[in-house]
Amino acid sequence: MSEFIPGKVISFRLPRTTPKRVLSHLEDLKSHHGRKFSSVLSSKLVQMLDEEIKKEKPDDMLVIPIPSGISQDEREFLQNEKNQALIGQLITHLLKEPDKMVTLPETEQTIEPKLEEKSYIQNKALQSFAQKTFLNFDDDDDD
């Protein structure tokens, strides 16, 4: 059996004992959400399973609610697995050593600022004019 990963397609059958109200609700969801029905249903399934895990192992998890009023990009950033791991490391550090400065490991890649090539126009005629007009110090009074 292969491992479950995000984005993997799974399928299942509804039990014969599924209540009519649940079937009706599924029909309503399908007609309301159209092509997004499966993503809505999968998010509900994941949420339900997550709640079940929290009930089974309440001491292994700290639940921090996502603040209201954040953008969808910020929400996706907080839901990213790597960002959650980083936040977890920061919290662990603050709990164990609250008086020490937090240091993050250096990344393998260094990000260097992208320099603009040249922000001025290079024109030989303009350069020659500027040199003759403004940079010619031969006429200075050297008395």
Side-chain angles (χ1 to χ4, degrees), residues 28-53:
D28 290 344
L29 284 174
K30 185 174 182 179
S31 66
H32 182 264
H33 293 289
R35 295 181 70 173
K36 294 186 178 187
F37 170 71
S38 62
S39 64
V40 170
L41 192 60
S42 64
S43 69
K44 289 182 179 292
L45 176 65
V46 168
Q47 184 179 10
M48 185 264 318
L49 291 172
D50 191 39
E51 291 297 323
E52 188 176 308
I53 292 168

Side-chain angles (χ1 to χ4, degrees), residues 62-81:
L62 172 66
V63 179
I64 301 172
I66 295 176
S68 60
I70 64 172
S71 69
Q72 183 62 30
D73 289 339
E74 292 167 330
R75 181 177 296 277
E76 288 173 7
F77 176 84
L78 289 174
Q79 291 174 340
N80 180 295
E81 187 177 307

Side-chain angles (χ1 to χ4, degrees), residues 112-124:
E112 295 185 23
K114 189 175 184 181
L115 300 174
E116 297 287 325
E117 290 203 6
K118 289 187 179 176
S119 60
Y120 59 91
I121 299 171
Q122 224 176 14
N123 184 332
K124 294 216 182 261

